[in-house]
Amino acid sequence: QVQLAESGGGSVQPGGSLSLSCTMSGSMYRIVAMGWYRQAPGKERELVASVTAGQSTNYADSVKGRFTISRDNAMNTVYLQMNSLKPEDTAVYYCNVRGYYNHYDWGDVWGQGTQVTVSS
C-alpha cells in the first residue's frame, strides 16, 4: 500500500520562507508525477506545483518565481521550497502522487495535509 508522509509547514510572517517534504512508502508500477496541492478555507483544492519523473515542472501562476519544487527519485521524496510567502498562501498543503498500480490502473494518492499559515 502506498502512503505519503509529509513534514514541514507551520506559521511564518509575510515575506518569510517555509519548506515542505513528502516521502512515499510502498511502491507503484510507474509514477507519473509528484506534487503539492493546497486548499484554503471555503475554496477548492488547487494545484501548487508538480514534477514528473523526468523532472519537468509545472507551477500555478500565483506561485511562479516564489516556490520551487524538486524531487529525489531514489528516495521517492518531493520537496517544496516556499519563499516570499504571502497571506494568500495560507492553506492546508497536500502531497500528491499520481501513478500506475499496474500496466492499466492508475490513481492518486494523497498525504494527510499540513497547515501553512502566513500572518503578521
Side-chain angles (χ1 to χ4, degrees), residues 24 31 34 51-55 70-79:
M24 187 183 85
I31 296 174
M34 301 181 76
V51 57
T52 68
Q55 303 293 346
S70 60
R71 174 176 172 176
D72 184 334
N73 287 335
M75 299 297 293
N76 280 338
T77 299
V78 61
Y79 306 94

Side-chain angles (χ1 to χ4, degrees), residues 45-64:
R45 190 173 297 189
E46 64 175 359
L47 174 69
V48 177
S50 64
V51 57
T52 68
Q55 303 293 346
S56 294
T57 57
N58 182 39
Y59 293 93
D61 287 342
S62 59
V63 307
K64 284 180 181 178

Side-chain angles (χ1 to χ4, degrees), residues 4-20:
L4 302 177
E6 301 161 341
S7 62
S11 296
V12 67
Q13 293 185 343
S17 298
L18 286 173
S19 61
L20 305 178

Side-chain angles (χ1 to χ4, degrees), residues 24-116:
M24 187 183 85
S25 61
S27 63
M28 299 185 86
Y29 176 73
R30 179 168 68 91
I31 296 174
V32 175
M34 301 181 76
W36 293 92
Y37 288 69
R38 68 186 180 187
Q39 188 167 20
K43 295 187 176 181
E44 294 187 352
R45 190 173 297 189
E46 64 175 359
L47 174 69
V48 177
S50 64
V51 57
T52 68
Q55 303 293 346
S56 294
T57 57
N58 182 39
Y59 293 93
D61 287 342
S62 59
V63 307
K64 284 180 181 178
R66 300 188 298 121
F67 291 12
T68 302
I69 191 169
S70 60
R71 174 176 172 176
D72 184 334
N73 287 335
M75 299 297 293
N76 280 338
T77 299
V78 61
Y79 306 94
L80 185 69
Q81 178 63 40
M82 305 182 289
N83 298 327
S84 303
L85 283 160
K86 304 176 181 180
E88 51 263 42
D89 295 317
T90 296
V92 177
Y93 284 68
Y94 295 91
C95 180
N96 169 269
V97 173
R98 175 164 293 181
Y100 283 81
Y101 298 105
N102 52 51
H103 191 67
Y104 302 101
D105 302 313
W106 67 275
D108 288 302
V109 180
W110 295 93
Q112 78 280 4
T114 185
Q115 178 70 45
V116 170

